[in-house]
Amino acid sequence: MRALPAVTDVCIVGGGPAGAATAAFLARAGLGVTVLDRARFPRPKACAEYLSPEASRLLEELGVLAAVEGAGAAQLAGMIVRAPNGRQIRGEFAAAHGFRGFRDRGLAVPRTTLDPLLLGAARAAGADVREGVRVTGLMRDAGGRVAGVETTGGTVRASLVVGADGLRSQVARRAGLARTLPFFQRRVALVAHYEGVSGIGAHGEMHVERDGYVGLADVGGGRTNVALVVPVARSAGLAGDATGFLARRLAAMPHLAPRFATARRVTPVLATGPFASAARRGWAPGVALVGDAADFFDPFTGEGIYAALRGAELLAPFAAEAARARPGVAVRGDALAGYERARRAAFAGKWRVERLIGTAVTFPALLDRAASVLEERRDLADLLVGVAGDFVPPREVLHPRFWSSFLLPRRATPPRPSAPRLATPA
């Protein structure tokens, strides 16, 4: 293995979408960038593998959209959510509400395809990507500021360390930024690919039960991503038998079991979680967090990959300023504090929507009530799915007029905007 560089401008820990995108943006800005990941790519990853319509804008900016689509990514027209009472919320990305994303469809693609393409973009931009290197600690200067990383292959000093190392981020923990949300909000997930699942169409599906939910989505090549999410409190029997746990849960769902009657699991069952982890903030002196390392609540809205790419885009200008500043100059903290403000401005509304949806999933009676309205009010369902698709502003479903629709008599013809409105980055 080649020796690690002794010094770099930016050291990024984690080579997934958040780390690879951050590396590409910063290398394009002329910074020396080193990416370290303990895995070797391509590697399987427990993930819903969904990219919202607005994520395509970021893939295009990174120069990989054509390659992702050319690799056989599935095209998703919208989402269907089945509530415990059997009612269905069906929302389309291309709808009459007047908002349009970068694409009218979302994408779904295996991480074994997506991640190498994004790392390729980082390498093409000039980043030094090192696989099979595990970070074991953070280096600090005399003032306590993070000044690099310790790894299995030696130390790397850096003007800025970026933690893009996922849910259980070692960077966040060692920088004193990690926190965990209350136990009752925590969930775990099992993910696998199946072939031959019947009835899979152009919509992603979420099937909510009283004690968890199952997500289904075509990911191309005749495969379906199957993701089971359950509360930690309901995961007894999971340890040591993830495969059997998933099979038993699918067989016990009367409306899903027939669709798996002739299906065949073609990948190992991967487990991830618990979810509901978040950082106290997205930076500390000498270090910044991006992607799941900075915030991840629940996979229900499929926010993860878009948030990783968008977070990288938000971080890049602030990270460049911080990395170029001389050691000890106050602009370091000022620059990263600016990233925190930008991150909250971009994501705060979506975080609120995610938590409202998470509450409805936790208390199924709420979702049953919502589904009973939204099954009939497709205009409202389209808005909600558009927010999940990252192109309808969250304010559209946080506004009192949206929630009043659950109480007031239904209108025969809901009002529509007079002209289409294109989504713009927050």
Side-chain angles (χ1 to χ4, degrees):
M1 184 178 72
R2 290 181 297 132
L4 294 174
V7 180
T8 188
D9 292 331
V10 181
C11 181
I12 299 174
V13 182
T22 301
F25 288 134
L26 291 177
R28 288 178 183 177
L31 292 169
V33 179
T34 300
V35 180
L36 307 176
D37 198 296
R38 64 183 179 181
R40 295 189 180 276
F41 294 81
R43 53 94 168 90
K45 187 73 173 178
C47 176
E49 300 177 321
Y50 157 76
L51 294 93
S52 67
E54 201 61 17
S56 288
R57 177 185 68 80
L58 293 155
L59 295 180
E60 177 73 10
E61 187 171 346
L62 290 163
V64 300
L65 178 58
V68 170
E69 292 178 329
Q75 305 272 334
L76 300 182
M79 298 296 297
I80 299 172
V81 179
R82 183 187 186 277
N85 63 2
R87 303 296 290 268
Q88 291 191 4
I89 305 167
R90 183 188 182 97
E92 309 291 334
F93 293 134
H97 46 53
F99 294 96
R100 297 288 295 276
F102 186 83
R103 287 282 197 273
D104 283 342
R105 296 204 169 202
L107 298 174
V109 61
R111 289 287 296 274
T112 50
T113 298
L114 177 66
D115 289 6
L117 290 173
L118 290 170
L119 277 177
R123 288 188 173 100
D128 182 7
V129 178
R130 303 298 186 95
E131 302 174 35
V133 177
R134 185 167 63 89
V135 171
T136 58
L138 298 180
M139 301 168 61
R140 296 183 182 271
D141 62 19
R145 175 186 166 278
V146 174
V149 299
E150 300 169 348
T151 83
T152 52
T155 61
V156 180
R157 298 191 67 84
S159 297
L160 179 69
V161 172
V162 174
D165 49 340
L167 282 174
R168 290 169 292 281
S169 169
Q170 290 295 309
V171 174
R173 183 174 64 83
R174 293 177 184 276
L177 295 173
R179 68 182 179 91
T180 301
L181 297 178
F183 179 82
F184 72 87
Q185 294 181 333
R186 301 173 72 194
R187 297 181 174 97
V188 296
L190 301 177
V191 183
H193 286 178
Y194 282 72
E195 291 180 347
V197 180
S198 65
I200 296 296
H203 290 72
E205 304 176 27
M206 304 300 291
H207 299 262
V208 183
E209 299 297 310
R210 302 291 172 185
D211 57 352
Y213 58 86
V214 173
L216 306 176
D218 179 10
V219 291
R223 294 189 173 193
T224 298
N225 180 295
V226 179
L228 168 68
V229 180
V230 296
V232 170
R234 299 297 184 93
S235 63
L238 172 58
D241 187 23
T243 299
F245 189 93
L246 176 60
R248 289 190 295 273
R249 288 298 297 258
L250 293 173
M253 300 173 71
H255 65 287
L256 280 184
R259 298 176 62 183
F260 283 83
T262 59
R264 181 171 66 94
R265 181 175 54 80
V266 293
T267 66
V269 177
L270 302 177
T272 186
F275 304 119
S277 64
R280 294 186 292 107
R281 61 182 185 183
W283 69 280
V287 63
L289 305 176
V290 67
D292 291 352
D295 178 85
F296 191 89
F297 177 66
D298 189 283
F300 194 90
T301 61
E303 179 71 3
I305 297 176
Y306 171 79
L309 301 177
R310 178 70 172 123
E313 181 184 46
L314 292 169
L315 173 60
F318 300 103
E321 181 182 352
R324 289 181 176 129
R326 289 179 290 110
V329 176
V331 71
R332 289 184 182 276
D334 291 345
L336 295 178
Y339 163 59
E340 179 70 6
R341 290 190 294 271
R343 191 173 73 93
R344 291 185 179 278
F347 293 133
K350 187 66 177 291
W351 289 339
R352 290 176 63 191
V353 173
E354 285 180 342
R355 280 152 178 76
L356 286 170
I357 293 174
T359 299
V361 172
T362 302
F363 300 99
L366 295 177
L367 186 61
D368 284 344
R369 169 58 183 162
S372 296
V373 174
L374 295 174
E375 186 176 53
E376 301 297 330
R377 290 294 305 272
R378 291 284 298 274
D379 58 313
L380 300 182
D382 289 340
L383 275 176
L384 188 59
V385 167
V387 171
D390 299 304
F391 62 92
V392 172
R395 65 175 180 270
E396 295 294 319
V397 301
L398 294 172
H399 195 281
R401 69 171 175 267
F402 182 89
W403 297 102
S404 68
S405 301
F406 291 83
L407 303 173
L408 298 176
R410 297 171 186 151
R411 295 187 298 269
T413 305
R416 297 177 179 177
S418 57
R421 293 171 284 180
L422 293 178
T424 57

